[in-house]
């Protein structure tokens, strides 16, 4: 008998692990990554490679030499952070800037708080915002690199749609967004190209029950409603709902960054409020702030509210009001 | 596709009902049986036989040890060899009556024929007494004495009797087999309980991964004169949990610490229904049950559903079925979600024994614990709506007020949290400890309040 295990129930386990969940996120990001490679070519491939290698090596080195703990790179969370960081950078970002971004994301935002599960801020966004504040020129250099396929290089090569608002005015900028923007939206970071590719990945995660849809839907709804209200009141000054949903980092942020397990609320209601906060802040920054885009700031600010949302909102318990 | 199920939480493990095709076989008798005195919820039974006594199968050998307790009968004929403590499943000493088997002679008055008796007596009190005298207990896992459950306290009314045929635990097939092979007896048993409870709505609830059982029951119901429904349920674990089953069937939630009757529900397992039938219609005490020998490392041709006499050692059954398979890493009594690991295979079978389950290392291995990633999967899986990750952290922090406020005492220990955790955090292991501690605190507080009230009362009377 002594060769048999005696331990408490449950005696079986679901086929799920941190690694399998992270792998699902990576699979979900693949369509958008492939699209970014097609449109931005070797330049984007290089950024992605540098980001992944830097993030993974850094986490490995920190656990081995600084924390003297078992390596956690096998859980693939560093790879997810790396892909998201790369997708948040302009397609011509120099390699050393990518490395600095990776260092801030992994060393500062993630590992210094205790590694996976402990960080307050989304690591990839923290890395990006650090770069935006430190290297504003590089981080807004929207020169288009040579892609593998020839995209429409007509109206607005070299600047993001959001950047056009101040130049063309809201009413003109609004006209630049149409159904083709859903498929590809040239100008901006890799993660801003294809709404369809991002949404397909998000849908994969929702169907596989890797994430719940409420945070994302709440952000979309908030952005759409606020944009609709302002746009109806004054179409000359404020861009409309479709423009605000399809441009900039709203889709990437709502689908893949705001839904990060560690830095989002646990309860559904908390998630909806979290999403509302992000939607509200991003629209206020876009309409009234000095930056053309505010998705990163919106997520980081709401990350700070997560502990409070977790304390305030709990799921309904069985047999209790 | 049935949409009827409970609403909060739940998981979907592969049902692995490998032994579903194995018809029930009668297990032969061993040379010696060991009848446990603690095979029901509540006070242990008290032996009323002495060493050297000759007993017959079905003869009373132990009386109830309290209000919540049950009598025990000899499962065999033979001689009482010893009345002594013996190690149970977990290796703890429990009083057993050891009987050397001699032939198979039954006590008088027991109808051993398999003629179906469909006519139900009119005397409800007499039926209840018969159920009590035959030692019938709930066979779904909790082994709560059935006569107590069927006799609600004055003022509470049974609105719905639910026959639990969910068998939501993977691997187990004993309920499925009796639903197929003893269909009509189970239905008559249900009708008896329905009558005892005063004729309430009666539902036989079966998960839809057992379509043959659903068909067998609905066909049989057409031939019988009772007002009983069969209700297919969507497959979801832990649907066979009492509170979850009531929520699924009636849409009502039993409150924290409350009994099912508080929402008008009485739940009985289908195997219990069979025992009730045998007790009332055949005068046959509860001394047999059906047990599944199964596992992922056991070839299907070596799997069995056995009709066994209660008191046969597990090791005898394992040996008879061909021995412990090579690849078995863990032996379990019960299902893989809520069953108990067998530390002592020489332990005896009890009324509630439902399986010997052999799991391979691949099926049962727990990976090393890694950091919680706050994914919330445990909270989504919890059928009680608790937040296991939070309870785990509160317990680590020693915050018992926080644990009570977050309802750790409501935990049903179904295992959904740990089953779903991608980081293999030992959630249930710790929550079980936390629950025990908090229940202790709640009991102590209640006792202190009672003592204070009595002290105040006696002071008052002194002052007068």
């Amino acid at each position: 008998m002594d060769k048999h295990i005696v331990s408490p129930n449950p005696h079986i386990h679901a086929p799920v692990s941190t690694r399998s969940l992270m792998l699902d996120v990576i699979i979900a990001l693949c369509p958008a990554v492939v699209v970014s490679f097609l449109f931005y070519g070797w330049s984007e491939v290089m950024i992605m490679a540098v980001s992944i290698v830097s993030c993974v090596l850094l986490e490995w080195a920190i656990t081995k030499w600084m924390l003297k703990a078992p390596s956690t790179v096998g859980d693939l969370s560093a790879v997810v952070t790396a892909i998201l960081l790369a997708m948040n950078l302009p397609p011509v970002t120099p390699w050393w800037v990518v490395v600095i971004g990776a260092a801030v994301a992994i060393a500062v935002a993630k590992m210094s708080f205790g590694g996976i599960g402990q960080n307050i801020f989304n690591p990839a966004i923290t890395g990006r915002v650090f770069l935006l504040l430190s290297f504003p020129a590089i981080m807004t250099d929207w020169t288009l690199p040579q892609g593998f396929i020839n995209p429409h290089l007509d109206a607005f090569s070299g600047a993001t749609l959001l950047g056009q608002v101040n130049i063309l005015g809201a009413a003109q900028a609004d006209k630049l967004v149409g159904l083709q923007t859903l498929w590809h939206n040239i100008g901006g970071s890799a993660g801003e190209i294809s709404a369809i590719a991002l949404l397909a990945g998000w849908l994969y995660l929702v169907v596989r029950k890797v994430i719940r849809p409420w945070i994302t839907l709440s952000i979309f709804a908030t952005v759409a409603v606020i944009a609709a209200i302002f746009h109806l009141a004054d179409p000359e000054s404020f861009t409309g709902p479709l423009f605000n949903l399809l441009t900039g980092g709203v889709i990437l942020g709502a689908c893949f960054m705001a839904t990060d397990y560690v830095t989002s609320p646990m309860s559904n209601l908390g998630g909806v409020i979290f999403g509302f906060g992000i939607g509200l802040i991003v629209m206020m920054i876009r309409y009234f702030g000095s930056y053309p885009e505010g998705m990163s700031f919106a997520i980081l600010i709401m990350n700070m509210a997560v502990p409070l949302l977790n304390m305030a909102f709990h799921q309904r318990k069985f047999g209790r009001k | 596709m049935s949409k009827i199920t409970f609403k909060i939480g739940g998981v979907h493990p592969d049902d692995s009902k490998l032994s579903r095709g194995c018809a029930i076989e009668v297990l032969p008798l061993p040379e010696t049986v060991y009848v446990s005195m603690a095979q029901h919820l509540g006070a242990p039974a008290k032996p009323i036989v002495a060493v050297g006594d000759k007993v017959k199968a079905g003869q009373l050998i132990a009386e109830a040890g309290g209000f919540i307790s049950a009598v025990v009968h000899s499962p065999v004929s033979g001689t009482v060899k010893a009345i002594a403590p013996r190690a149970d499943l977990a290796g703890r000493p429990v009083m057993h009556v050891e009987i050397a088997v001699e032939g198979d002679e039954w006590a008088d008055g027991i109808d051993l024929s398999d003629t179906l008796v469909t006519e139900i007596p009119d005397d409800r009190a007499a039926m209840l007494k018969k159920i009590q005298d035959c030692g019938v207990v709930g066979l779904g896992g909790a082994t709560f004495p059935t006569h107590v459950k069927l006799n609600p306290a004055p003022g509470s009314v049974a609105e719905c009797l639910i026959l639990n045929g969910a068998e939501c635990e993977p691997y187990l097939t004993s309920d499925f087999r009796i639903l197929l092979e003893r269909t009509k007896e189970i239905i008559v048993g249900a009708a008896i309980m329905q009558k005892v409870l005063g004729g309430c709505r009666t539902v036989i609830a079966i998960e839809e991964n057992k379509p043959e059982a659903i068909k067998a029951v609905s066909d049989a119901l057409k031939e019988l004169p009772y007002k009983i429904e069969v209700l297919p349920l969507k497959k979801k674990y832990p649907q066979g949990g009492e509170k979850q089953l009531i929520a699924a069937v009636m849409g009502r939630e039993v409150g924290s610490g409350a009994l099912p009757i508080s929402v008008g529900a009485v739940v009985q397992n289908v195997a219990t229904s069979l025992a009730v039938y045998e007790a009332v219609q055949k005068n046959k005490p509860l001394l047999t049950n059906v047990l599944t020998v199964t596992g992922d490392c056991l070839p299907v041709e070596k799997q069995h559903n056995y009709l066994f006499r209660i008191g046969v050692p597990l090791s005898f059954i394992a040996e008879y079925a061909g021995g412990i398979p090579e690849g078995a890493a863990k032996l379990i009594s019960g299902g893989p979600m809520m069953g108990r690991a067998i530390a002592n295979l020489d332990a005896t079978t009890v009324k509630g024994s439902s399986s010997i389950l052999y799991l391979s290392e691949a099926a049962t291995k727990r990976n090393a614990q890694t950091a919680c990633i706050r994914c919330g999967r445990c909270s989504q899986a919890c059928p009680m709506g608790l937040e296991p990750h939070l309870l785990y952290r509160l317990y680590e922090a020693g915050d018992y007020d926080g644990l009570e406020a977050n309802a750790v005492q409501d935990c049903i220990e179904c295992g959904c949290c740990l089953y779903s955790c991608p980081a293999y955090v030992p959630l249930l292991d710790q929550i079980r400890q936390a629950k025990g501690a908090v229940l202790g605190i709640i009991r102590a507080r209640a006792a202190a309040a009672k003592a204070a009230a009595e002290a105040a009362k006696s002071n008052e009377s002194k002052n007068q």
Side-chain angles (χ1 to χ4, degrees):
Chain A
M1 276 309 295
D2 48 19
K3 67 189 163 90
H4 298 116
I5 307 165
V6 176
S7 61
N9 69 307
H11 308 289
I12 52 173
H13 197 277
V16 65
S17 64
T18 304
R19 184 190 168 91
S20 77
L21 293 173
M22 294 301 152
L23 192 62
D24 266 340
V25 177
I26 294 169
I27 291 168
L29 283 164
C30 277
V33 169
V34 168
V35 168
S36 74
F37 288 173
L38 288 178
F39 283 93
Y40 292 160
W42 286 111
S43 180
E44 185 59 39
V45 175
M46 189 275 298
I47 291 173
M48 187 62 74
V50 171
S51 183
I52 293 176
V53 171
S54 318
C55 284
V56 171
L57 271 183
L58 264 166
E59 184 164 319
W60 177 79
I62 289 170
T63 49
K64 185 172 173 71
W65 287 308
M66 296 178 76
L67 303 177
K68 300 192 169 42
S71 170
T72 49
V73 296
D75 67 27
L76 299 179
S77 62
V79 178
V80 171
T81 297
I83 296 173
L84 289 171
L85 176 67
M87 294 183 85
N88 272 283
L89 301 176
V92 291
T93 312
W95 66 269
W96 54 273
V97 174
V98 182
V99 173
I100 294 172
V104 173
I106 295 294
V108 179
K110 184 180 179 186
M111 300 311 285
S112 64
F113 283 89
I116 188 167
Q118 303 294 321
N119 49 299
I120 296 167
F121 297 106
N122 183 303
I125 300 185
T126 309
R128 178 188 182 263
V129 166
F130 180 85
L131 295 179
L132 183 66
L133 301 179
S134 310
F135 310 101
I138 292 173
M139 288 297 287
T140 51
D141 176 2
W142 301 113
T143 308
L144 284 178
Q146 183 61 48
F148 295 130
I149 61 172
N150 277 329
H152 307 273
L153 290 173
D154 42 16
F156 37 84
S157 52
T160 64
L161 279 171
L162 277 166
Q164 305 275 319
V165 177
N166 286 334
I167 304 162
L168 300 176
Q172 282 300 315
D174 249 339
K175 292 195 183 112
L176 296 174
V177 170
L179 278 182
Q180 69 83 19
T181 322
L182 268 175
W183 151 232
H184 67 73
N185 170 15
I186 300 308
S189 67
E192 294 175 32
I193 301 175
S194 176
I196 291 282
L198 290 167
L199 290 172
W202 174 74
L203 209 60
Y204 170 82
L205 293 181
V206 171
V207 169
R208 298 262 301 159
K209 299 203 166 152
V210 174
I211 58 171
R212 285 166 278 169
W214 314 121
I215 294 174
T216 309
L217 293 178
S218 168
I219 294 174
F220 289 162
T222 309
V223 166
V225 168
I226 292 177
I229 292 169
F230 278 87
H231 185 67
L232 281 178
D234 183 359
E236 291 302 315
S237 308
F238 299 106
T239 46
L242 195 63
F243 182 92
N244 281 292
L245 284 172
L246 292 181
T247 60
V250 167
I251 295 180
L252 177 67
C255 293
F256 291 99
M257 321 278 273
T259 52
D260 169 36
Y261 289 145
V262 182
T263 55
S264 64
M266 305 276 258
S267 64
N268 291 340
L269 184 56
V272 168
I273 294 168
F274 177 75
F276 170 77
I278 291 171
L280 180 69
I281 294 168
V282 72
M283 289 313 296
M284 293 304 109
I285 293 175
R286 282 182 176 188
Y287 282 164
F288 306 110
S290 53
Y291 285 92
E293 169 63 317
M295 197 59 187
S296 300
F297 294 112
I299 295 175
L300 285 189
I301 291 167
M302 288 312 291
N303 282 167
M304 292 191 275
V306 167
L308 195 61
L309 291 172
N310 278 342
M311 278 190 269
F313 300 103
H314 298 268
Q315 59 185 14
R316 193 176 72 80
K317 293 177 176 63
F318 187 101
R320 289 170 186 249
K321 284 284 165 270
Chain B
M1 280 286 284
S2 171
K3 287 212 168 67
I4 300 170
T5 186
F6 56 98
K7 293 207 169 59
I8 299 179
V11 294
H12 299 90
D14 187 281
D15 72 357
S16 307
K17 304 273 189 192
L18 307 172
S19 51
R20 62 185 302 145
C22 307
I24 298 170
E25 304 157 66
V26 177
L27 190 81
L29 292 174
E31 284 173 16
T32 314
V33 295
Y34 304 89
V35 186
S36 170
M37 293 296 106
Q39 44 181 324
H40 46 259
L41 197 85
K46 292 184 202 138
I48 54 163
V49 285
V51 176
D53 283 3
K54 293 273 179 199
V55 292
K56 290 179 182 173
Q59 179 184 328
L60 189 73
I61 57 169
E63 61 189 14
F67 174 66
I68 299 194
S69 185
V71 297
V72 178
H73 298 79
S74 175
V76 293
S77 57
T79 308
V80 176
K81 284 287 174 197
I83 300 170
R86 190 169 185 278
D88 73 355
L89 209 59
R92 283 178 299 242
V94 168
M95 196 58 83
H96 284 70
V97 174
E98 180 184 335
I99 302 167
V101 180
E102 292 150 10
D104 192 18
E105 202 181 325
W106 285 68
D108 295 336
I110 299 173
D111 177 0
L112 291 174
S113 74
D114 48 13
T115 323
L116 185 77
V117 184
T118 55
E119 193 137 333
I120 299 168
D122 281 324
D123 188 344
R124 282 155 55 182
M127 286 194 283
L128 205 55
K129 176 95 179 20
K130 193 81 119 193
I131 291 167
Q132 179 173 7
D133 289 348
C134 284
V136 180
V137 299
L139 298 175
T143 59
F144 192 84
T146 302
H147 65 273
V148 181
K149 243 186 185 181
L150 289 178
N151 192 13
S156 37
V157 178
E159 292 171 53
C160 185
L161 167 66
I162 304 170
L163 271 284
N164 187 351
E167 201 164 52
C168 60
E169 277 269 17
Y171 290 100
L172 306 189
T173 55
S174 54
D175 288 351
F176 170 69
R177 289 312 309 185
I178 60 168
L179 277 167
L180 277 191
E181 300 182 34
R182 315 284 298 268
T183 321
K184 286 185 176 167
E185 291 153 275
I186 290 171
I187 292 170
V188 178
I192 291 168
M193 292 190 279
Q194 180 182 34
K195 196 160 183 180
V196 168
L197 288 170
C200 58
R201 178 189 175 209
T202 299
V203 174
I204 302 178
I206 305 171
E207 282 196 347
E208 61 187 358
N209 61 341
K210 296 176 271 291
E212 307 90 331
I214 294 169
K215 187 172 183 306
V217 172
S218 37
D219 288 351
L221 281 171
K222 282 179 204 137
E223 296 170 26
L224 293 166
Y226 315 119
K227 206 165 166 268
I228 296 175
E229 318 153 37
V230 58
L231 186 67
L233 302 174
K234 186 178 165 185
K235 175 180 159 328
K236 186 157 88 173
Y237 177 85
Q239 191 126 252
E242 199 165 53
K243 290 187 172 185
Q244 280 64 40
L245 192 64
I246 294 167
V249 174
M250 300 174 73
R252 296 182 188 173
E253 292 182 2
V254 180
S256 175
L259 293 172
I261 195 70
S262 67
V263 296
V266 175
V267 180
Q268 295 286 0
N269 189 269
V270 289
T272 315
S273 190
L274 182 58
V276 164
Y277 167 82
E278 292 192 325
V280 174
Q281 306 292 67
K282 301 283 188 175
N283 198 30
K284 186 179 168 193
L286 176 56
L287 38 87
T288 59
N289 194 1
V290 176
L291 168 146
T292 308
V293 178
T294 182
D296 70 313
C297 52
L298 193 66
V300 176
E301 62 273 14
K302 287 187 148 184
Q303 305 206 356
H304 300 277
N305 290 296
Y306 286 128
L307 182 76
F308 69 98
R309 300 279 178 97
I310 292 155
V312 174
L314 289 168
S315 51
F316 175 81
I317 301 176
E319 206 56 45
Y320 182 76
I324 300 170
E326 195 64 14
K330 199 173 198 178
L331 277 54
I332 296 152
S333 170
M337 293 297 289
M338 278 195 86
R340 292 163 65 202
I342 301 174
N344 169 28
L345 195 62
D346 288 326
T348 189
T349 48
V350 288
K351 290 173 179 174
S353 294
S354 60
S355 83
I356 300 175
L357 170 63
Y358 302 109
L359 290 183
S360 68
E361 185 167 356
T364 195
K365 187 174 189 292
R366 253 201 221 180
N367 288 353
Q369 179 184 354
T370 54
C372 168
I373 57 171
R374 302 199 229 168
C375 60
R377 295 172 95 82
C378 53
S379 307
Q380 287 170 73
C382 180
M384 296 306 292
L386 310 181
E387 291 155 289
H389 61 92
L390 177 63
L391 301 176
Y392 179 84
R393 278 189 293 140
L394 290 169
Y395 182 64
E396 299 267 286
D399 181 356
Y400 293 98
D401 291 338
L403 283 164
E404 190 180 341
N406 285 285
V408 73
Q409 62 276 19
D410 289 2
C411 172
I412 58 169
E413 304 183 27
C414 63
C416 288
C417 51
L418 179 43
Y419 172 83
S420 328
C421 179
Y424 286 80
V425 177
L427 294 162
L428 179 55
D429 299 359
Q430 300 293 71
I431 290 170
R432 189 184 285 115
Q433 304 293 322
K435 176 185 166 186
V438 167
L439 283 175
I441 291 168
I442 292 172
R443 273 193 295 267
R445 195 169 51 216
K450 199 176 163 194
E454 272 165 21
K457 217 176 174 183
S458 67
N459 273 343
E460 220 169 83
S461 52
K462 262 185 224 161
N463 292 342
Q464 277 169 357

